[in-house]
Amino acid sequence: MAIVAQQTKLSKILWPVLAWAVALIIFFPIAYMVMTSFKTDADAVKPELLFTFTPTLENYANMTENYDYWRFASNSIITSVAATLFTLFVAIPCAYAMAFTPSRGTKDILMWMLSTKMLPAAAVLYPMIYMTKAAGLYDTHFLIIMVLSLINLPIVIWMLFTYFKDIPKDIIEAAKMDGVNTWGEVREVLIPLAWGGIASTALLCFIFCWNEAYWTVRLTTTEAATLSKLIEGNRAPEGLFFGRLSAVSTAAVGPIVVLGWFCQKQLVQGLTFGAVK
Amino acid sequence: MGRIVLENVQKTFGEAEVIPPLDLTIEDGEFAVFVGPSGCGKSTLLRLIAGLEEVTSGAIKIDGADVTQVPPSKRGLAMVFQSYALYPHMTVRKNIGFPLRMAKMEQAEIDAKVEQAASVLNLKDYLDRKPGQLSGGQRQRVAIGRAIVREPEAFLFDEPLSNLDAALRVGMRMEISELHNKLNTTMIYVTHDQVEAMTMANKIVVLQAGVIEQVGSPLELYRTPRNRFVAGFIGSPKMNFIDGDAAEKLGGHSVGIRPEHIDVVEGGLWQGRVGVAEHLGSDTFFHVHDTGLAETITVRAIGDVSLRHGDTIGLSPRMDELHRFDAKGLRI
Ligand SMILES: Nc1ncnc2c1ncn2[C@@H]1O[C@H](COP(=O)(O)OP(=O)(O)O)[C@@H](O)[C@H]1O
Ligand SMILES: [Mg+2]
């Protein structure tokens, strides 16, 4: 008994301390980025001014003056929203079919879909660039939306599949007996019951799309360039423009952090909301 | 109208043949019960009729129309599941009205029908609750309400009472029987409980390993079981079986006698020692050992008869109630 009590006491202190330590380590670069964005490029490289500096909005002012932040931001929004919607549009029927009418191949298909994530992106970089240029798709919203969707489909289908599997099969069958066709099952029963799961999957997919950099940087120049491209464009090897780069980065991740912050509560609510077996 | 005919219906899951080809007819208005031990294919057979499983071969007809390839939503049947399968995100009102809304009925008409079903099933006070806020018995009523509002060709029940406690189960049994008397719609009811089968059915279909062992009214099955399996399955407590020489003397390879057809007498054909006695008040069941016939012979005595543990008693089977079976277990 004494040992158990001691252990719980220890873990009561130890785990929170560890969690805070990890959280701070992860958070530090973000805090550093935000702080640096309020420094001049000159101040940004002086270690003695890490915490003590005179804040300036110069970098943010430059950002909208020198290059069109809003165009990059709206491209990010358009491609991420459209890619998320398209991904769900394909993934929901797909996960539904696999969860409720599994066949012998279902497990293999799921594994195969995940295995596509193992393909090194760099291996297909040049074919992709040449092919999309030849097809006239290079630097278009359509291309970025398709690429983002295809990258995220496996994980989205996988996530939805696990959520759908938790819905009792009887309820779907009851709907069939109640005279509902397949589309009705999805609309009236599946989506309402899996709403929390679908919402959190959609949010995650949106975040992945927003943060995607490898393809968006390489398959765009101006027309469809997203915030990732904007950050990339401000990267200078000499590191002279740290303040400017930080401001751009902060403005790029800002919206997604805010979104995550707001959705947090709804998501937790959605995930625990009254499922009765 | 709901006359359901199965012609040569067979079902296999991969290699396993769960239902070997069988024929079965359920007449319009009948209360048919599929009964058999767990895993014998009752649910599978019901799901084939519902359309939730596809037949491997054979045909299913409802009122003469071949529905073998018709999806469940178009067969006009209603089903009540063991798990109730209510829509957890909808109120009771929405749950009951759901099939009508799907049939694109006018809202006013839906409301009227839901109200009517709710009053029949004593659910009026719960219409605005969600299923999660109801007891098991109430949930079952909602599931039944959802089935009756549609006025289906036939009702399918898959062990609807097995999640309820014993007292509630007896009550619901009566309610479902009442409902059948009132609606006169075909009902197919699946259960592993032979008491439910005996008390509710017009027609019992006894299944074992996917094979129909016998079809008949409760009393037919009780009086003239076609084989040893049906004899042992129908009736409670179970029929006593005697094999070997004692059976040969009575004219069968094996002989069955129900506990209620053995009298406790002085002398008698058989003697044994009293073991455990179960006093139910109205009846007493004695487990009698050392008869030299079988491990235990169960005997029913009317009323509260007191015999002491270890007493030696005489047993006299009623000769006209003996069931004789041949070496294959078929009735002679
Ligand atoms: N979808 C399925 N896939 C494979 N085997 C199944 C499936 N459904 C039922 N079975 C098998 O069929 C047999 C009969 O099952 P079931 O009809 O549920 O029995 P019961 O309802 O009489 O208890 C069982 O052996 C079960 O394992
Ligand atoms: Mg079953």
Side-chain angles (χ1 to χ4, degrees):
Chain A
M1 280 303 282
I3 294 167
V4 174
Q6 246 176 15
Q7 269 179 351
T8 49
K9 209 168 174 188
L10 188 68
S11 58
K12 256 189 191 148
I13 299 168
L14 193 63
W15 287 118
V17 167
L18 268 176
W20 272 100
V22 170
L24 279 178
I25 291 169
I26 292 171
F27 182 66
F28 183 72
I30 297 169
Y32 187 61
M33 175 186 76
V34 174
M35 284 191 301
T36 309
S37 75
F38 292 106
K39 298 177 190 175
T40 61
D41 286 330
D43 281 358
V45 289
K46 292 180 187 152
E48 67 272 20
L49 295 182
L50 180 56
F51 292 111
T52 53
F53 59 92
T54 326
T56 169
L57 287 175
E58 184 188 326
N59 294 320
Y60 287 96
N62 279 344
M63 199 169 69
T64 39
E65 260 167 43
N66 296 357
Y67 18 82
D68 194 353
Y69 169 81
W70 295 112
R71 187 163 54 85
F72 291 98
S74 70
N75 279 343
S76 272
I77 292 171
I78 290 168
T79 53
S80 301
V81 169
T84 302
L85 291 178
F86 181 72
T87 305
L88 288 179
F89 181 73
V90 175
I92 289 176
C94 182
Y96 166 80
M98 290 199 289
F100 293 106
T101 45
S103 70
R104 264 182 238 171
T106 302
K107 277 235 163 70
D108 298 333
I109 293 173
L110 277 168
M111 290 312 293
W112 170 75
M113 284 195 295
L114 270 203
S115 75
T116 60
K117 295 296 255 183
M118 295 173 203
L119 176 77
V124 289
L125 176 60
Y126 282 97
M128 275 295 281
I129 288 176
Y130 291 131
M131 280 161 58
T132 54
K133 279 191 172 159
L137 291 173
Y138 188 81
D139 197 21
T140 59
H141 287 118
F142 176 77
L143 173 67
I144 297 305
I145 292 165
M146 281 302 126
V147 167
L148 292 177
S149 299
L150 292 174
I151 290 173
N152 285 308
L153 258 177
I155 185 78
V156 168
I157 291 175
W158 192 282
M159 277 182 75
L160 290 177
F161 175 77
T162 49
Y163 285 119
F164 291 174
K165 269 221 106 55
D166 282 346
I167 297 176
K169 205 176 173 205
D170 282 0
I171 293 183
I172 299 289
E173 292 183 340
K176 284 190 210 291
M177 295 305 294
D178 283 343
V180 179
N181 57 21
T182 306
W183 166 235
E185 285 162 34
V186 172
R187 189 192 54 213
E188 300 287 340
V189 181
L190 184 77
I191 291 181
L193 282 183
W195 183 241
I198 293 172
S200 53
T201 307
L203 181 69
L204 202 72
C205 179
F206 181 79
I207 292 170
F208 286 163
C209 290
W210 188 278
N211 291 345
E212 208 288 327
Y214 187 86
W215 292 109
T216 48
V217 165
R218 286 166 179 80
L219 295 178
T220 61
T221 46
T222 49
E223 281 310 305
T226 64
L227 286 169
S228 303
K229 183 82 176 178
L230 177 62
I231 298 174
E232 169 73 15
N234 274 279
R235 193 172 53 93
E238 324 83 78
L240 279 181
F241 307 115
F242 259 138
R244 204 168 82 186
L245 181 59
S246 298
V248 169
S249 305
T250 306
V253 299
I256 209 79
V257 171
V258 172
L259 178 74
W261 183 267
F262 274 113
C263 293
Q264 196 181 20
K265 286 196 189 86
Q266 272 120 346
L267 287 180
V268 172
Q269 209 176 28
L271 288 170
T272 52
F273 186 68
V276 199
K277 295 265 158 107
Chain B
M1 285 289 284
R3 182 172 191 267
I4 296 170
V5 178
L6 309 189
E7 286 173 2
N8 238 337
V9 165
Q10 184 207 18
K11 178 67 185 174
T12 59
F13 289 110
E15 298 289 293
E17 186 180 53
V18 173
I19 310 278
L22 61 75
D23 293 302
L24 182 65
T25 302
I26 292 148
E27 298 297 340
D28 182 39
E30 223 164 27
F31 197 123
V33 174
F34 295 171
V35 69
S38 196
C40 71
K42 309 178 293 288
S43 298
T44 304
L45 197 56
L46 193 74
R47 292 165 58 81
L48 287 170
I49 295 171
L52 295 171
E53 301 282 356
E54 274 178 55
V55 298
T56 307
S57 66
I60 298 174
K61 292 178 180 166
I62 301 178
D63 287 332
D66 190 329
V67 296
T68 316
Q69 300 303 328
V70 175
S73 57
K74 300 248 157 61
R75 291 193 186 187
L77 306 173
M79 183 148 168
V80 177
F81 293 80
Q82 180 174 356
S83 61
Y84 319 129
L86 301 178
Y87 309 118
H89 57 299
M90 298 181 197
T91 59
V92 169
R93 189 188 300 280
K94 288 258 168 64
N95 261 285
I96 298 177
F98 184 75
L100 303 180
R101 186 158 66 83
M102 291 300 109
K104 307 232 160 37
M105 194 180 269
E106 297 270 324
Q107 190 59 45
E109 207 177 334
I110 296 179
D111 291 340
K113 292 207 172 212
V114 170
E115 288 288 330
Q116 196 196 345
S119 72
V120 170
L121 293 162
N122 283 326
L123 284 169
K124 281 214 144 174
D125 297 338
Y126 307 101
L127 279 175
D128 294 311
R129 294 206 194 166
K130 293 261 178 76
Q133 298 162 302
L134 300 178
S135 71
Q138 289 164 340
R139 285 183 206 181
Q140 192 55 269
R141 270 180 242 267
V142 176
I144 293 172
R146 191 173 62 183
I148 60 176
V149 285
R150 302 180 45 195
E151 297 168 15
E153 302 284 336
F155 292 91
L156 311 178
F157 295 89
D158 192 354
E159 311 225 9
L161 307 185
S162 53
N163 284 350
L164 302 179
D165 62 56
L168 212 48
R169 205 148 58 208
V170 174
M172 284 302 292
R173 212 158 78 193
M174 306 282 267
E175 283 190 41
I176 294 174
S177 293
E178 278 295 326
L179 202 65
H180 179 250
N181 289 338
K182 197 153 62 191
L183 301 175
N184 252 313
T185 308
T186 311
M187 292 189 176
I188 305 179
Y189 187 104
V190 161
T191 179
H192 64 270
D193 179 355
Q194 61 90 25
V195 177
E196 267 177 32
M198 292 295 278
T199 50
M200 301 174 86
N202 308 134
K203 176 189 265 180
I204 298 181
V205 179
V206 183
L207 289 160
Q208 186 193 18
V211 174
I212 296 180
E213 296 287 349
Q214 190 169 1
V215 179
S217 72
L219 285 183
E220 273 167 26
L221 299 198
Y222 178 83
R223 293 205 182 115
T224 51
R226 210 167 66 84
N227 57 33
R228 204 177 140 150
F229 175 78
V230 176
F233 195 79
I234 299 290
S236 171
K238 278 167 109 75
M239 185 183 280
N240 298 296
F241 287 105
I242 299 160
D243 298 292
D245 288 345
E248 298 289 350
K249 262 186 236 162
L250 293 167
H253 179 81
S254 64
V255 168
I257 178 81
R258 296 191 186 278
E260 53 270 42
H261 298 145
I262 302 176
D263 297 310
V264 179
V265 292
E266 296 287 328
L269 184 62
W270 304 320
Q271 279 79 39
R273 205 187 312 279
V274 176
V276 174
E278 297 174 71
H279 296 276
L280 302 181
S282 58
D283 312 283
T284 309
F285 299 114
F286 294 104
H287 297 263
V288 181
H289 305 289
D290 302 329
T291 52
L293 306 164
E295 185 85 8
T296 320
I297 295 286
T298 312
V299 178
R300 187 183 88 164
I302 304 274
D304 191 9
V305 178
S306 47
L307 291 170
R308 276 203 312 274
H309 191 274
D311 281 356
T312 299
I313 57 171
L315 302 174
S316 171
R318 297 180 201 161
M319 289 301 170
D320 52 349
E321 300 283 4
L322 287 180
H323 302 270
R324 297 176 179 84
F325 303 99
D326 65 16
K328 285 190 183 139
L330 289 178
R331 181 180 192 82
I332 299 173

